[in-house]
């Protein structure tokens, strides 16, 4: 079986968008099904596990409201990540305004993972998630997009409004920190 | 104990290898390195573990699809936005045209008034200095072409226009000598420095009176 490439993905997304513009609602279902899991993973890893549903929903609503203006100079998924990241940052800013710190939000996310892990009883996975949660926001976002979504540095840079070089450095620092955390365990 | 492979370039490509997004040649090269490198094998295992650990929380995709806007709504809104933008652009262009027209008319009025003033000055050259002094005391516009900065152009222009029947009449009756004198004056004007507002005024008056006497 041939592994699908990013070009295939882009072509498929473009075809789905075209179908949706012509009024085919099933194309919307396909678009959402294709990208919702990745967005949910990214939202959860950003320390927003409680609000993942809402964040992913809002991302799609915003994206579809501007879908006729979407130009395929970046992939649809990268564009969706960009929208989601902005929503996460807005939410964290609002939380900070209401007295909570980002640090608190991250602790809360770790607790959320821990509660889930107690049920799943998968200690290894729990350790990995803890390791990822301990990263700085930028390191974590780069690491998750690179490792779990397989994004190229160029797309990560576009999503996080950074540069490829900076993202590469963040990735390797994150990898080192994760290894150290797991080695110490 | 996990260690970092010394080949940083290969390590950089490991996530892409795991996701199968490398090109054929690059994919083979990285896979061949990993096959004989324990550190890279350990890192690839870790990458798989991370991927598996950061699982996606369940999302109700049916609910998301249900609340999405319809394509017709989105396109209607975009068309409306485009229309509003176009109307704004047309209005802006119209406003610019009006402003340009107003500027041209104002410039024409000012230059016409200046010319009339010039002609008036030329005819006055034939008169005596005392007559000029009398006119000055009557508050009439002086033959000086140098703009008096203390008087706004908008205030000056109506006065010039109201004086026009007299000046046009006077200009029509200029003799050849007077016209030549007028042209000379105009040449002199061009050469006057414009940085100092006082100097040109004095120079003009001087030229006026010296050339006045036959
Ligand atoms: Zn190696």
């Amino acid at each position: 079986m041939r592994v699908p490439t990013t070009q295939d993905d882009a072509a498929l997304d473009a075809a789905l968008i075209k179908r949706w513009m012509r009024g085919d609602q099933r194309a919307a279902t396909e678009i959402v099904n294709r990208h919702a899991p990745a967005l949910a993973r990214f939202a959860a890893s950003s320390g927003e596990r409680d609000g993942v549903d809402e964040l992913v929903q809002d991302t799609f609503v915003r994206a579809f409201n501007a879908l006729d203006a979407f130009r395929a100079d970046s992939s649809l998924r990268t564009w969706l990540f960009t929208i989601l990241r902005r929503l996460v940052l807005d939410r964290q800013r609002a939380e900070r305004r209401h007295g909570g710190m980002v640090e608190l939000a991250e602790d809360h996310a770790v607790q959320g993972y821990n509660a889930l892990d107690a049920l799943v009883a998968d200690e290894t996975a729990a350790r990995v998630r803890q390791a990822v949660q301990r990263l700085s926001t930028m390191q974590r976002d780069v690491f998750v997009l690179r490792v779990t979504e397989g994004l190229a540095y160029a797309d990560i840079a576009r999503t996080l409004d950074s540069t490829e070089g900076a993202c590469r450095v963040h990735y390797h620092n994150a990898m080192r920190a994760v290894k150290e955390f797991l080695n110490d365990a | 104990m996990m260690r970092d492979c010394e080949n940083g370039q290969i390590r950089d490509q490991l996530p892409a290898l795991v996701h199968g997004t490398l090109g054929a040649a690059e994919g083979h090269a990285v896979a061949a390195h990993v096959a004989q490198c324990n550190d890279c094998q350990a890192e690839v295992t870790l990458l798989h573990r991370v991927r598996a650990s950061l699982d996606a929380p369940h999302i109700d995709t049916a609910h998301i699809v249900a609340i999405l806007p319809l394509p017709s709504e989105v396109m209607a809104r975009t068309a409306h936005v485009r229309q509003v933008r176009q109307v704004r652009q047309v209005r802006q262009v119209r406003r610019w045209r009006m402003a340009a027209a107003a500027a041209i008319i104002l410039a024409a009025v000012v230059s016409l008034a200046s010319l009339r003033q010039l002609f008036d000055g030329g005819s006055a050259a034939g008169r005596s200095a005392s007559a000029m002094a009398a006119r000055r005391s009557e508050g009439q516009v002086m033959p000086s072409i140098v703009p008096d900065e203390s008087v706004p152009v908008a205030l000056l222009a109506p006065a010039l226009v109201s004086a026009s029947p007299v000046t046009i009449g006077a200009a029509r009756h200029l003799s050849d000598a007077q016209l030549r004198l007028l042209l000379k004056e105009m040449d002199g004007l061009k050469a006057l420095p414009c940085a100092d507002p006082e100097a040109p005024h004095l120079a003009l008056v001087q030229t006026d009176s010296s050339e006045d006497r036959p």
Side-chain angles (χ1 to χ4, degrees):
Chain A
M1 199 189 102
R2 201 171 70 90
V3 180
T5 64
T6 34
Q7 277 94 346
D8 293 339
D9 278 339
L12 182 50
D13 281 330
L16 287 171
I17 291 170
K18 215 178 257 177
R19 269 175 51 197
W20 179 75
M21 301 276 277
R22 279 196 236 110
D24 183 353
Q25 271 302 99
R26 280 170 310 170
T29 306
E30 281 186 55
I31 291 172
V32 172
N33 285 340
R34 269 169 65 74
H35 300 291
L39 293 174
R41 261 195 304 271
F42 186 61
S45 73
S46 298
E48 294 292 337
R49 205 168 176 94
D50 283 347
V52 167
D53 259 308
E54 203 184 305
L55 281 166
V56 175
Q57 255 176 46
D58 290 353
T59 301
F60 277 114
V61 169
R62 282 196 190 199
F64 272 80
N65 269 312
L67 207 54
D68 60 336
F70 172 71
R71 297 283 169 269
D73 53 350
S74 72
S75 83
L76 180 61
R77 185 167 292 186
T78 306
W79 187 53
L80 291 169
F81 277 133
T82 309
I83 298 171
L84 172 61
R85 176 137 201 279
R86 241 174 261 152
L87 290 172
V88 168
L89 291 177
D90 285 349
R91 180 181 281 225
Q92 288 176 345
R93 235 169 269 145
E95 277 168 12
R96 238 174 307 171
R97 259 201 305 275
H98 289 98
M101 300 288 286
V102 183
E103 267 28 83
L104 277 178
E106 283 174 7
D107 281 351
H108 180 68
V110 173
Q111 281 165 14
Y113 274 131
N114 286 341
L116 193 84
D117 292 338
L119 293 170
V120 176
D122 181 354
E123 233 177 283
T124 317
R127 289 299 294 168
V128 170
R129 284 198 280 265
Q130 278 180 346
V132 172
Q133 281 304 314
R134 294 169 70 91
L135 300 171
S136 74
T137 305
M138 196 64 180
Q139 279 179 356
R140 190 180 56 222
D141 287 349
V142 172
F143 189 75
V144 168
L145 290 176
R146 183 92 179 128
V147 177
T148 70
E149 310 308 331
L151 255 57
Y153 286 119
D155 288 332
I156 297 173
R158 207 171 294 147
T159 303
L160 305 182
D161 199 16
S162 182
T163 64
E164 286 185 45
C167 289
R168 184 173 276 115
V169 170
H170 282 307
Y171 168 73
H172 286 285
N173 287 342
M175 179 55 96
R176 188 170 307 130
V178 168
K179 277 183 184 175
E180 275 171 15
F181 182 81
L182 294 177
N183 280 338
D184 291 345
Chain B
M1 183 79 186
M2 275 179 284
R3 288 179 315 178
D4 290 345
C5 170
E6 283 176 10
N7 192 330
Q9 262 181 323
I10 292 284
R11 282 187 60 221
D12 207 34
Q13 303 293 341
L14 294 180
L17 179 76
V18 167
H19 282 270
T21 52
L22 288 174
E26 211 174 1
H28 281 303
V30 176
H33 171 90
V34 173
Q36 47 82 44
C37 175
N38 289 335
D39 292 338
C40 281
Q41 282 169 22
E43 191 157 318
V44 166
T45 304
L46 174 63
L47 289 169
H48 281 296
R49 256 169 73 196
V50 171
R51 267 190 90 180
S53 303
L54 298 179
D55 56 340
H58 176 72
I59 293 287
D60 185 356
T61 52
H63 173 68
I64 294 175
V65 173
I67 61 167
L68 289 178
L70 293 171
S72 53
E73 291 168 3
V74 172
M75 280 184 286
R77 195 170 41 237
T78 310
H80 176 71
V81 168
R82 209 172 289 148
Q83 216 172 0
V84 168
R85 223 173 271 164
Q86 270 171 353
V87 168
R88 254 185 227 156
Q89 272 172 350
V90 168
R91 272 192 202 149
Q92 211 165 9
V93 168
R94 242 182 245 164
R95 232 173 279 152
W96 275 108
R97 272 193 202 148
M98 293 277 280
I104 289 168
I105 290 168
L106 184 68
V109 166
V110 170
S111 53
L112 190 67
S114 306
L115 266 176
R116 282 172 181 169
Q117 234 184 328
L118 246 184
F119 281 112
D120 194 23
S123 63
R127 296 175 205 161
S128 67
S130 63
M132 280 183 65
R135 284 184 55 184
R136 210 175 295 179
S137 66
E138 280 163 33
Q140 278 189 344
V141 181
M142 291 305 298
S144 164
I145 306 142
V146 180
D148 185 351
E149 288 188 356
S150 64
V151 184
V153 175
L155 292 177
L156 200 62
L160 291 169
V161 173
S162 70
S164 62
V166 183
T167 52
I168 287 173
R172 269 194 201 134
H173 297 105
L174 284 178
S175 67
D176 285 353
Q178 282 172 325
L179 270 172
R180 245 179 277 124
L181 179 72
L182 182 62
L183 286 169
K184 219 191 234 177
E185 262 185 87
M186 286 175 84
D187 284 341
L189 251 185
K190 271 183 207 161
L192 288 172
C194 53
D196 181 0
E198 276 311 301
H201 186 88
L202 290 172
L204 245 190
V205 171
Q206 214 172 18
T207 318
D208 233 5
S209 50
S210 62
E211 303 242 353
D212 200 8
R213 290 172 206 114

